[in-house]
Amino acid sequence: MQKGKFKESDISVAKELFNTAIDETLESQSRIIDNYLMMARNAAETGNHTEVVTYCNKVIEINSKNSEAWLLKGTSTGWQSTLASIKLEATLSCF
């Protein structure tokens, strides 16, 4: 094979390998998101709102449009408010 020249079959194989890698990456990200959300929900049930925000931030880093992560984060941020430190702006920014 000459440099810079590819057979059609080589290109087809490369496309197939690329598409497989993309599919596997998306599937892996989906599992990671599901795990982080499960940990965030468990933390919310036990009242560990700092941990909820941590796990939700990890989900948001992967998929910034994940509505459940934003809802959990906003709710938990609100629960972290005190009279001395009202977190209204941070809470509302999640919704």
Side-chain angles (χ1 to χ4, degrees), residues 2 45 71:
Q2 292 180 356
E45 287 177 14
L71 179 64

Side-chain angles (χ1 to χ4, degrees), residues 5-6 9 14 21-22 26 37 43-44 51 55 63-65 67-68 70 72 80-81 84 87 93 95:
K5 298 207 178 205
F6 298 98
S9 61
I22 294 295
L26 293 174
L37 286 174
E51 196 170 296
Y55 288 127
N63 179 358
S64 64
K65 296 183 180 189
S67 59
E68 184 178 3
W70 282 108
L72 284 168
Q80 292 178 59
S81 289
K87 299 186 178 198
S93 71
F95 296 108

Side-chain angles (χ1 to χ4, degrees), residues 4-46:
K5 298 207 178 205
F6 298 98
K7 294 179 189 173
E8 186 64 35
S9 61
D10 293 337
I11 294 171
S12 295
V13 170
K15 285 180 182 178
E16 188 176 321
L17 290 172
F18 178 77
N19 288 331
T20 300
I22 294 295
D23 290 343
E24 289 174 0
T25 299
L26 293 174
E27 185 179 317
S28 176
Q29 284 182 338
S30 178
R31 284 193 305 259
I32 291 168
I33 287 172
D34 289 344
N35 288 337
Y36 282 141
L37 286 174
M38 180 184 65
M39 291 186 282
R41 285 186 222 108
N42 289 338
E45 287 177 14
T46 62

Side-chain angles (χ1 to χ4, degrees), residues 52-65:
V52 173
V53 172
T54 299
Y55 288 127
C56 288
N57 283 338
K58 292 178 184 289
V59 171
I60 292 165
E61 285 178 21
I62 298 168
N63 179 358
S64 64
K65 296 183 180 189

